[in-house]
């Protein structure tokens, strides 16, 4: 650090510390009389029985008191515990040495080891890039998943929602993309997952090779709501750090639904009224602020995948509807396809990539459209075909669809450890359904 910067840093240090006192604890919230602090700032709650102070964030006010929400469990906090203002929002560490690490929602190693030296300090919550400084999406990115690369092509800097019920293969699909993609590195956020599933994802879905080019942030379901929110923000901030280095980053968040549920918990505790199906207004304000942070910038790109857990496979529930309106496309995982043994269980007819038309040549679009037409014709007549009521020759398009259906299903199926490059997927698509 230069001498002038060091002098400025020393001059900015506040020689006085301001404290308040805890006066009430109810549910998720701690109420404190003082100190002076703004919403979003971090405070330290000093307790008699803990070696370290408890970090808490200001989430609101009640009359003249602060409403604080701790990042960890509300333990050892008593009436009269001192509350110290830090005058700063949550800050985390980022750097290339984090690649291969598994972190908690605050950016600390989950195995309780020490962070690598030489990391940069960054804010966990940032503003999205200026819309006028976002370049258009013009390049494809390969995920190594045949059905996506060929029929739902993704561009660098695109933001995609993966919509599915529980147990249909969201984590497996993310693992395949993390291992096989052509992105420079992956930032993976596991928000609200069961504790058991964290190691399952790292060892089974991601694998050793995938972890070597990934940063994993995990905030499990047993942790406080604020920690789950911070896990999503920390992952996005780390992805932004690498994007600003000029990298092409792949951000994966599983799941944005649990981020919304955590924000609902915070909103209800702070006194917000429940509105749409119990979700508070702050949930629908939080989603675009978080999701718009990814995408393109003047320096690099963040290609983002956000899983949406739809209750009862209802694709029109409030969170799914809100997320679909924010993102640049969506992939729908269909339970009926999974029950038939088709993996990945992507329903091509219900899925869309909104930038595909701008980034692939016309012959690619024509071949992909042909596959969609054949699938649509087959599924329209599927009931008649299954009961034997359809007679060959009744419809030329259905006859063609019946003949092509086995080849299409074979094309869409892909083993979890099978890597299909973008070129291989496109060559096979054009060979089967391209114009002669």
């Amino acid at each position: 650090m230069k001498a002038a910067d060091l002098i400025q840093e020393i001059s900015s240090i506040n020689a006085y510390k301001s404290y308040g006192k805890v006066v009430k604890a109810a549910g998720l919230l701690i109420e404190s009389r003082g100190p002076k602090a703004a919403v979003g700032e971090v405070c330290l709650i000093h307790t008699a029985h803990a070696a370290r102070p408890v970090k808490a964030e200001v989430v609101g006010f009640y009359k003249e008191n602060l409403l604080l929400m701790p990042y960890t469990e509300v333990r050892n906090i008593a009436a009269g515990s001192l509350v110290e203002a830090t005058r700063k929002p949550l800050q985390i560490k980022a750097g290339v040495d984090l690649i291969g690490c598994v972190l908690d929602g605050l950016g600390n190693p989950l195995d309780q080891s020490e962070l690598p030296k030489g990391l940069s300090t960054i804010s966990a919550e940032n503003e999205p890039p200026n819309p006028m400084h976002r370049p258009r999406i013009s390049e494809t990115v390969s995920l190594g998943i045949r059905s996506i690369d060929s029929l739902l092509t993704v561009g660098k800097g695109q933001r995609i929602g993966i919509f599915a019920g529980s147990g249909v293969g969201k984590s497996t699909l993310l693992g395949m993309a993390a291992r096989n993609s052509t992105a420079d590195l992956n930032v993976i956020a596991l928000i609200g997952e069961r504790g058991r599933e964290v190691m399952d994802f790292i060892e089974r879905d991601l694998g050793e090779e995938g972890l070597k080019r990934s940063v994993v942030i995990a905030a499990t379901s047993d942790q406080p709501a604020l920690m789950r929110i911070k896990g999503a923000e920390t992952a996005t901030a780390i992805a932004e750090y690498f994007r600003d280095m000029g990298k092409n980053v792949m951000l994966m968040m599983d799941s944005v639904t649990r981020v919304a549920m955590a924000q609902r918990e915070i909103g209800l505790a702070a006194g917000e009224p429940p509105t749409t199906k119990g979700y508070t207004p702050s949930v629908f304000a939080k989603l675009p602020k978080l999701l718009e942070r990814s995408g393109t910038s003047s320096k690099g790109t963040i290609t983002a995948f956000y899983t949406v857990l739809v209750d009862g496979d209802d694709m029109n529930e409030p969170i799914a509807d809100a997320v679909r309106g924010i993102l640049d496309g969506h992939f729908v995982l269909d339970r009926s396809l999974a029950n038939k043994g088709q993996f990945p269980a992507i329903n091509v007819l219900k899925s869309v990539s909104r930038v595909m038309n701008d980034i692939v040549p016309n012959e690619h679009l024509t071949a992909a459209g042909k596959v969609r037409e054949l699938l649509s014709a087959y599924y329209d007549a599927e009931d008649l075909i299954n009961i034997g009521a359809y007679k060959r020759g009744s419809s030329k398009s259905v006859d063609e669809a019946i003949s092509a259906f086995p080849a299409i299903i074979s094309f869409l199926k892909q083993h979890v450890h099978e890597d299909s490059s973008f070129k291989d997927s496109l060559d096979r698509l054009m060979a089967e359904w391209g114009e002669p």
Side-chain angles (χ1 to χ4, degrees), residues 125-136 157 159 236-237 239-241 243-244 251 288-304 306 328:
E125 191 168 358
N126 302 306
E127 292 296 320
N130 187 315
M132 296 302 292
H133 298 160
R134 284 185 184 265
R136 292 187 62 193
R159 300 161 305 142
T236 307
E240 289 170 329
Y241 173 84
R243 176 180 64 185
D244 292 344
L251 171 64
K289 288 182 180 179
L290 178 65
L291 304 184
E292 285 288 350
R293 288 169 61 182
S294 55
T296 60
S297 78
S298 57
K299 297 176 182 177
T301 63
I302 299 175
T303 306
Y306 300 96
D328 308 318

Side-chain angles (χ1 to χ4, degrees), residues 28 57 59 69 125 191 224-226 228-230 233 256-270 272 278-287 319:
L28 304 176
E57 186 172 304
V59 296
M69 187 167 287
E125 191 168 358
I191 309 299
L226 190 58
R228 283 174 266 150
I229 292 286
K230 292 305 170 186
E233 292 180 348
V256 72
T257 304
R258 294 191 177 107
V259 175
M261 289 178 175
Q263 183 61 40
R264 176 175 62 182
E265 288 182 43
I266 294 171
L268 290 172
E272 283 190 77
Y279 288 100
T280 57
S282 64
V283 173
F284 301 100
K286 183 74 175 179
L287 288 175
I319 300 304

Side-chain angles (χ1 to χ4, degrees), residues 340-404:
K340 294 175 183 177
Q342 179 181 324
F343 290 99
I346 299 173
N347 189 319
V348 174
L349 299 180
K350 292 182 180 179
S351 305
V352 64
S353 169
R354 293 180 180 170
V355 304
M356 181 177 176
N357 290 357
D358 299 329
I359 59 175
V360 300
N362 288 333
E363 55 269 23
H364 183 169
L365 285 175
T366 302
K370 179 66 173 177
V371 174
R372 285 176 174 270
E373 289 175 9
L374 292 170
L375 275 177
S376 179
Y378 182 88
Y379 286 131
D380 285 346
E382 186 175 25
D383 290 341
L384 294 176
I385 295 168
N386 288 341
I387 64 175
Y390 177 78
K391 292 184 179 180
R392 290 267 185 177
S394 301
S395 169
K396 182 179 178 182
S397 60
V398 175
D399 288 346
E400 187 180 359
I402 292 172
S403 299

Side-chain angles (χ1 to χ4, degrees), residues 23-63:
V23 295
K24 182 180 177 182
L28 304 176
L29 290 178
I30 305 295
E31 194 171 322
S32 167
R33 184 173 293 115
K36 289 185 178 180
V39 172
E41 287 185 9
V42 175
C43 291
L44 304 177
I45 304 175
H46 296 270
T47 66
H49 304 290
R52 295 181 179 179
V54 177
K55 283 186 177 181
E57 186 172 304
V58 180
V59 296
F61 304 97
Y62 177 71
K63 296 182 179 177

